C-alpha cells in the first residue's frame, strides 16, 4: 500500500496542476473577452481532445511500464506549459481581449494539451490499482482515487480564482511550471513493482481498436454501461460549458473560485465514503440511484437565482460523482484482462467523452440564440418571468432545468434495460463468465 499511496500522491499533485491551469485559463478568457461562445468553444475543444486522445493514450499505457507512461505524461505537460508561458510574455496584453486572436487561441491550445497529456497518468493510475491492490479492496482504492481527485479539484478551484483575480495569468503559468517540475522529481523516487511489461503480444504495438471493442463486447451489458455514461456526459457538457458564465453572473471571480473550492469537498466526501464502505452488494443499483439524485438536483437548484441554492445543489452533485466513477472503474478492473486494461479504460474514456464536445459546441449558440432571448425579450418573460426571473442568467437556468429533466427520464429508462440486468449478474459473480482467450486479437492498427 505504501507504493500505492506514493503513486496516488504524485498523481494528486499532477492533477492539481492541470486542473488549476485549465480552470484559471477558462476564468481568465471569460473575464478578458466576456464571451460565452469563447468558453463554450474552449469546453468543446477540451472534451473533443479528451475523446479522441483516449484511444491513443490507452495504447501508450499498455505498451510501456506504468512509471514510464507517467513520466512521459509529466514531461510533455511541462514542455507545453513552458511554451505557453513564452507565448504569453511575448504577446501584448490587449491582444488577449479579442476572442478571435490567434495568439489567444494558441495560448489556450498549449494549456489544453498540457492538461490533456495528464490523462495518460489517469489511465495508468487505474491499471496501477489492479497491480497493487487485491480485488476485494479495489472499490475502496478507487474511492481513494476519487478523494484525491476531489482534493485536486478543491485546491485548484480556490487558487485558480484567487491567482487570476490577484496575481494574473503570468504567475499562474509560473506556478504551473514549478509544480510540474516537482511532480517529475518526486516520480523519480517511486518504484512500481511491475516485474515486466504486462504485454507480450504484437498487437500492443498498435492502437488495436477492434481487439479492444471485442474485449468489451465479451462482457454482457458492459457496452450498455459505457453508452449510459456517454449520454450522461452528453448532458454534462451543458454544465461544463455554461456553469462558469452562470456563476460569474452572481459573484466575483475570486468568490466563484473559493466557492468551487468549498464545493469540491463533495468530491472528497463522496470518495471517502466509497473508500470506507465500498460500493455495496449491488453497485449498479447504487450507480443509477446516484444518477437519479443528480438529475433531480439539476432540476431544483436553478429554479431561483440564488448562489445558496447553486452551492447546496452542486455540493450534493459532486458528492455523487466519485460513486459513479468508482463503479465503472471497479467493474472494468474485474472483468477486463490486465494486459488490455489501458486500452479499455482509454476506449471507455473516448466513447464517454465523445458526446460532450457536441454538446459544448452546440450549447453556446443554443443558449445565446434560444434560451437567453426566451428569458430576456421572448415569451418566457411573460409566461414564467414573474416568478422565475428574467435575463441572461435565467435563460441559462432554464436550460439547466431542461437538461435535468432529460437526464432523469433517460436514467429511469436505462434501469429497465436488459444491459443493466446482465451486467448486474456478471458483477455479482466471483469471476466473469467469459473466456478472455476467445477475444479476437488484431494485428493491425
Amino acid at each position: 500500500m505504501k507504493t500505492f499511496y506514493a503513486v496516488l500522491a504524485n498523481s494528486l499533485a499532477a492533477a492539481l496542476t492541470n486542473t488549476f491551469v485549465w480552470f484559471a485559463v477558462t476564468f481568465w478568457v471569460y473575464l478578458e473577452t466576456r464571451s460565452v461562445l469563447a468558453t463554450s468553444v474552449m469546453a468543446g475543444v477540451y472534451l473533443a481532445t479528451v475523446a479522441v486522445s483516449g484511444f491513443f493514450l490507452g495504447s501508450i499505457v499498455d505498451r510501456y511500464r506504468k512509471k514510464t507512461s507517467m513520466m512521459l505524461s509529466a514531461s510533455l505537460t511541462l514542455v507545453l506549459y513552458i511554451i505557453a508561458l513564452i507565448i504569453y510574455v511575448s504577446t501584448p496584453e490587449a491582444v488577449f481581449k479579442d476572442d478571435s486572436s490567434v495568439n489567444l487561441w494558441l495560448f489556450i491550445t498549449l494549456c489544453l494539451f498540457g492538461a490533456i497529456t495528464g490523462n495518460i497518468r489517469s489511465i495508468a493510475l487505474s491499471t496501477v490499482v489492479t497491480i497493487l491492490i487485491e480485488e476485494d479492496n479495489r472499490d475502496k482504492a478507487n474511492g481513494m482515487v476519487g478523494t484525491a481527485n476531489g482534493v485536486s479539484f478543491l485546491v485548484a478551484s480556490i487558487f485558480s480564482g484567487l491567482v487570476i483575480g490577484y496575481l494574473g495569468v503570468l504567475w499562474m503559468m509560473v506556478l504551473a511550471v514549478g509544480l510540474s517540475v516537482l511532480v517529475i522529481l518526486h516520480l523519480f523516487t517511486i518504484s512500481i513493482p511491475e516485474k515486466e511489461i504486462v504485454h507480450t503480444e504484437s498487437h500492443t504495438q498498435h492502437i488495436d481498436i477492434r481487439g479492444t471493442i471485442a474485449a468489451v463486447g465479451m462482457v454482457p451489458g458492459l457496452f450498455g454501461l459505457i453508452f449510459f455514461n456517454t449520454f450522461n456526459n452528453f448532458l454534462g457538457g451543458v454544465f461544463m460549458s455554461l456553469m462558469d458564465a452562470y456563476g460569474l453572473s452572481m459573484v466575483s471571480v475570486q468568490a466563484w473560485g473559493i466557492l468551487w473550492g468549498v464545493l469540491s469537498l463533495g468530491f472528497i466526501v463522496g470518495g471517502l465514503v466509497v473508500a470506507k464502505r465500498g460500493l455495496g452488494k449491488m453497485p449498479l443499483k447504487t450507480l443509477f440511484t446516484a444518477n437519479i439524485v443528480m438529475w433531480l438536483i439539476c432540476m431544483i437548484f436553478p429554479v431561483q437565482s440564488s448562489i445558496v441554492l447553486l452551492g447546496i445543489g452542486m455540493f450534493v452533485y459532486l458528492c455523487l460523482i466519485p460513486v459513479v466513477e468508482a463503479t465503472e472503474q471497479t467493474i472494468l478492473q474485474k472483468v477486463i484482462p490486465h494486459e488490455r486494461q489501458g486500452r479499455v479504460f482509454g476506449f471507455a474514456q473516448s466513447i464517454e467523452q465523445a458526446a460532450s464536445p457536441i454538446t459544448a459546441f452546440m450549447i453556446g449558440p443554443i443558449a445565446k440564440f434560444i434560451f437567453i432571448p426566451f428569458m430576456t425579450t421572448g415569451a418566457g418573460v411573460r409566461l414564467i418571468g414573474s416568478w422565475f426571473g428574467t435575463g441572461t442568467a435565467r435563460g441559462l437556468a432554464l436550460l439547466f432545468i431542461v437538461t435535468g429533466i432529460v437526464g432523469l427520464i433517460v436514467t429511469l429508462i436505462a434501469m429497465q434495460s436488459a444491459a443493466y440486468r446482465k451486467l448486474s449478474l456478471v458483477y455479482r459473480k466471483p469471476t466473469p463468465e467469459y473466456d478472455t482467450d476467445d477475444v479476437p486479437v488484431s494485428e493491425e492498427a
Side-chain angles (χ1 to χ4, degrees), residues 32-90:
E32 289 291 309
T33 66
R34 293 293 175 178
S35 172
V36 173
L37 286 176
T39 55
S40 177
V41 169
M42 284 178 64
V45 171
Y46 175 84
L47 293 171
T49 308
V50 170
V52 173
S53 66
F55 294 112
F56 302 94
L57 302 185
S59 297
I60 290 173
V61 171
D62 279 344
R63 183 173 181 178
Y64 300 105
R65 294 180 183 272
K66 307 312 172 225
K67 180 177 177 178
T68 302
S69 300
M70 292 180 172
M71 188 64 74
L72 176 63
S73 170
S75 300
L76 288 173
T77 295
L78 175 61
V79 170
L80 290 166
Y81 285 165
I82 290 174
I83 298 173
L85 177 58
I86 294 171
I87 293 293
Y88 180 79
V89 297
S90 61

Side-chain angles (χ1 to χ4, degrees), residues 212-288:
T212 300
I213 292 174
V216 175
M218 293 297 290
V219 184
L222 189 54
F223 266 121
L225 174 64
I226 291 174
F227 285 120
F228 174 73
N229 287 334
T230 299
F231 189 84
N232 278 351
N233 285 337
F234 181 85
L235 298 175
V238 175
F239 297 94
M240 184 171 184
S241 301
L242 301 178
M243 185 58 72
D244 285 334
Y246 182 64
L248 290 171
S249 70
M250 292 184 279
V251 296
S252 68
V253 64
Q254 293 94 331
W256 185 237
I258 293 173
L259 175 63
W260 271 101
V262 175
L263 293 181
S264 61
L265 286 170
F267 278 129
I268 300 174
V269 171
L272 287 175
V273 170
V274 176
K276 178 69 175 179
R277 303 180 64 87
L279 295 168
K281 296 181 179 179
M282 301 179 67
L284 280 181
K285 184 176 181 181
T286 303
L287 168 72
F288 280 87

Side-chain angles (χ1 to χ4, degrees), residues 407-424:
L408 178 61
I409 292 172
V410 170
T411 301
L412 293 174
I413 293 174
M415 287 189 71
Q416 307 303 316
S417 68
Y420 170 78
R421 293 191 295 272
K422 289 177 181 177
L423 191 56
S424 293

Side-chain angles (χ1 to χ4, degrees), residues 227-428:
F227 285 120
F228 174 73
N229 287 334
T230 299
F231 189 84
N232 278 351
N233 285 337
F234 181 85
L235 298 175
V238 175
F239 297 94
M240 184 171 184
S241 301
L242 301 178
M243 185 58 72
D244 285 334
Y246 182 64
L248 290 171
S249 70
M250 292 184 279
V251 296
S252 68
V253 64
Q254 293 94 331
W256 185 237
I258 293 173
L259 175 63
W260 271 101
V262 175
L263 293 181
S264 61
L265 286 170
F267 278 129
I268 300 174
V269 171
L272 287 175
V273 170
V274 176
K276 178 69 175 179
R277 303 180 64 87
L279 295 168
K281 296 181 179 179
M282 301 179 67
L284 280 181
K285 184 176 181 181
T286 303
L287 168 72
F288 280 87
T289 301
N291 272 280
I292 289 173
V293 175
M294 290 167 78
W295 295 124
L296 286 173
I297 289 169
C298 294
M299 295 163 56
I300 295 171
F301 84 80
V303 168
Q304 289 295 306
S305 182
S306 166
I307 198 67
V308 175
L309 273 179
L310 171 63
I312 294 173
M314 287 297 98
F315 180 80
V316 179
Y317 187 98
L318 295 178
C319 283
L320 297 172
I321 288 179
V323 177
V324 174
E325 293 179 345
T327 300
E328 183 180 26
Q329 290 171 354
T330 304
I331 291 173
L332 291 178
Q333 287 161 351
K334 179 173 183 178
V335 302
I336 298 296
H338 183 257
E339 64 271 13
R340 281 190 176 274
Q341 284 186 7
R343 277 160 291 170
V344 172
F345 276 113
F347 171 81
Q349 174 182 279
S350 289
I351 296 300
E352 291 168 10
Q353 295 291 346
S356 295
I358 299 174
T359 308
F361 284 125
M362 291 175 56
I363 208 64
I366 289 174
K368 183 172 183 177
F369 298 115
I370 297 177
F371 282 85
I372 291 176
F374 183 73
M375 293 308 303
T376 52
T377 59
V381 176
R382 183 181 69 258
L383 294 174
I384 60 174
S386 60
W387 63 270
F388 189 73
T390 61
T392 299
R394 302 317 296 154
L396 299 179
L398 182 61
L399 185 50
F400 291 149
I401 292 174
V402 172
T403 300
I405 292 172
V406 174
L408 178 61
I409 292 172
V410 170
T411 301
L412 293 174
I413 293 174
M415 287 189 71
Q416 307 303 316
S417 68
Y420 170 78
R421 293 191 295 272
K422 289 177 181 177
L423 191 56
S424 293
L425 290 174
V426 169
Y427 188 82
R428 283 199 197 104

